Amino acid sequence: MRHWRRDVIELASLFRAAFHTWWTRRHGHAPPTGDTGARPLPEGAQAGPSDQPSRSSDPVAAESTLWRMRTTVKDEPGSLAALCTALAAHRVDILSLQTHPLGDGTVDEFLLRAPGALEGSEITRAVAWAGGADTWIERADTHDLVDAPTRVLGLATRTALDAAELPLALRQLLGRCTIRSLPAVPVGGGRGPDGVPVEGVLEDTVMRLRAPEGGVITVERPYLPFTPTEFARARALVELDARLGPRVPRSQDVLTLPEGHDITVRRADTGDLEAAVAMHERCSARTLSMRYHGPVGDVDRYLKHLLSPRFGRTLAVQTASGRIVGLGHLLWDGDETEVALLVEDAWQRRGIGGELLERLVAMAAEAGCESVYAVTQSSNTGMVAAMRGLELPLDYQIEEGTLVITARLDAPVEETDGAIGVSRAEAP
């Protein structure tokens, strides 16, 4: 009965909040300003007024700021109404609301538009006076205006088309978090991670899910505990991925090298393992050591891991006869992203490495990565030149002959200068 009463009262409250939102928009509230590309702001910028003025002619609402806020309230009638009233008193519009039921309360998640002069701390203080607890707030952007069901359906569609999208979809679903996929059997041998039950495990700020191919997907978000609702959504996304099985997009590009040969660049997966091993056999020991930084005799066992879409994306360069002569890997490494290249000796110095690297970096930028790094040797002049060819800000770190080059993706990646012609085609 108390839940019925809470629903009726809060429905009325939400109607009142919706009317307030309509009224203020009707009378001069500007649309949200600024577009951060859906990337979270630094810790120090998560509270405070926006420095972007709106175009509103209303001097009272001279600027506005979007906020994402979560707060925990008691599961009793009137709790949500009190929050809505407190926010309305500060001229804060509620643009969307999600509820996450808990055992002894409810986590309410809001998307808010507030006057630009209103500090985030003032909002949380008003919410605390209205009964909210464990309140968390950060700046939002226009991408957050998409309602939750639409966003989840979009992420499900992306995951259905490409198995490599699962970690990215989970990050967009859950916000700033660290995602690691641990194989059931480590590449270097030894004991794998402890298994998890089919239903997964939720432990406050950490969730562990059974990976579709075995192993464990671990998601950590130290700054904000996961709710059971978020856990259920993440588990459903992983279950969808498992049911669909291995898959990569089948599109491909046909490139014309300067000397006139045509090659094809396409996505690769574990189905290309045999062809990739054959390429290894045609590569010199020096080329393999430049790529893998270890004993050349062990390199084949890394390929299955590298080709799995669970750990990133792989591009293959294929000749007209179907032989793979180059591989480029974009590897998800927790919060970071690694790029790696291998081009068969006979096909080096033809622009293939640079073409692969540009495509991989463009993929990383599209996925929202802030930087990519390459691990190589200081004597690998080809890789160093390819990274410089991106014309992005670079950072170099060298230790005992190992060179780590990090490229910041602040600037757009320029398209190829025409040295290699491109025509696109769909794979049969």
Side-chain angles (χ1 to χ4, degrees):
M1 182 62 148
R2 70 185 179 92
H3 291 288
W4 177 83
R5 290 181 58 201
R6 169 183 164 94
D7 291 342
V8 172
I9 294 173
E10 292 185 356
L11 183 61
S13 172
L14 288 175
F15 174 80
R16 192 164 63 225
F19 177 80
H20 173 70
T21 298
W22 172 85
W23 179 263
T24 51
R25 287 180 184 170
R26 183 74 175 80
H27 290 75
H29 261 266
T33 57
D35 183 352
T36 65
R39 298 181 186 176
L41 295 174
E43 196 69 26
Q46 289 181 11
S50 166
D51 13 86
Q52 301 251 1
S54 74
R55 297 180 182 177
S56 171
S57 58
D58 184 352
V60 177
E63 55 183 26
S64 62
T65 306
L66 289 176
W67 298 93
R68 290 175 58 229
M69 183 186 74
R70 280 192 181 190
T71 191
T72 303
V73 298
K74 295 180 180 179
D75 186 12
E76 59 185 32
S79 56
L80 180 56
L83 288 180
C84 294
T85 302
L87 293 171
H90 288 77
R91 298 179 56 82
V92 177
D93 295 340
I94 300 174
L95 303 182
S96 69
L97 167 66
Q98 297 183 63
T99 59
H100 302 254
L102 303 176
D104 55 351
T106 301
V107 174
D108 290 332
E109 181 174 355
F110 298 88
L111 178 63
L112 307 172
R113 180 188 286 128
L118 189 65
E119 299 280 352
S121 57
E122 294 179 79
I123 298 176
T124 57
R125 188 159 48 247
V127 168
W129 276 105
D134 299 324
T135 302
W136 166 87
I137 191 169
E138 75 170 0
R139 292 283 186 89
D141 61 42
T142 53
H143 294 80
D144 293 305
L145 291 170
V146 179
D147 67 286
T150 301
R151 185 170 67 252
V152 171
L153 286 172
L155 296 176
T157 300
R158 289 178 56 180
T159 302
L161 295 174
D162 187 351
E165 288 286 331
L166 179 61
L168 304 176
L170 288 172
R171 184 173 288 115
Q172 291 192 26
L173 178 68
L174 302 170
R176 289 179 290 120
C177 58
T178 299
I179 300 174
R180 291 185 173 87
S181 295
L182 304 176
V185 179
V187 177
R191 185 181 174 212
D194 294 334
V196 297
V198 176
E199 65 273 14
V201 176
L202 174 60
E203 299 171 338
D204 198 32
T205 60
V206 178
M207 67 171 73
R208 294 188 296 143
L209 304 164
R210 180 181 290 186
E213 72 291 337
V216 178
I217 298 174
T218 301
V219 187
E220 299 181 52
R221 190 176 65 188
Y223 69 95
L224 186 65
F226 294 112
T227 66
T229 301
E230 289 179 309
F231 179 58
R233 291 171 180 170
R235 188 173 59 192
L237 204 56
V238 174
E239 288 176 357
L240 171 67
D241 182 88
R243 286 183 177 274
L244 293 174
R247 63 212 176 277
V248 295
R250 296 180 60 81
S251 60
Q252 59 187 28
D253 288 346
V254 178
L255 313 180
T256 302
L257 297 176
E259 67 270 22
H261 290 99
D262 286 345
I263 58 173
T264 299
V265 178
R266 60 173 177 82
R267 287 284 299 278
D269 61 9
T270 51
D272 296 292
L273 179 60
E274 184 178 347
V277 170
M279 186 189 73
H280 271 182
E281 294 173 352
R282 296 191 300 270
C283 289
S284 66
R286 182 179 184 276
T287 292
L288 292 176
S289 66
M290 286 282 189
R291 164 63 185 88
Y292 294 103
H293 325 294
V296 174
D298 296 335
V299 297
D300 288 352
R301 67 179 182 177
Y302 293 102
L303 275 175
K304 187 174 182 179
H305 174 89
L306 293 173
L307 292 170
S308 171
R310 181 67 55 240
F311 305 104
R313 299 175 181 174
T314 298
L315 293 177
V317 176
Q318 185 175 296
T319 65
S321 64
R323 174 183 292 184
I324 290 180
V325 296
L327 290 172
H329 303 285
L330 184 70
L331 302 170
W332 315 133
D333 181 18
D335 295 327
E336 300 181 309
T337 306
E338 180 182 1
V339 289
L341 302 175
L342 177 64
V343 179
E344 188 178 323
D345 294 63
W347 291 83
Q348 293 176 8
R349 297 178 179 82
R350 302 190 189 190
I352 293 176
E355 179 71 24
L356 283 174
L357 187 59
E358 282 192 9
R359 290 167 180 264
L360 294 172
V361 171
M363 286 181 178
E366 182 185 8
C369 302
E370 296 183 353
S371 64
V372 297
Y373 72 90
V375 180
T376 185
Q377 298 176 23
S378 55
S379 57
N380 190 347
T381 56
M383 188 64 181
V384 174
M387 292 293 287
R388 287 176 176 169
L390 294 173
E391 298 185 358
L392 293 172
L394 300 179
D395 175 68
Y396 300 86
Q397 294 182 347
I398 188 168
E399 184 176 347
E400 297 180 358
T402 298
L403 176 64
V404 179
I405 309 175
T406 301
R408 297 202 319 272
L409 306 186
D410 307 304
V413 181
E414 295 186 3
E415 298 196 8
T416 178
D417 59 4
I420 299 180
V422 181
S423 63
R424 287 177 170 75
E426 292 294 325

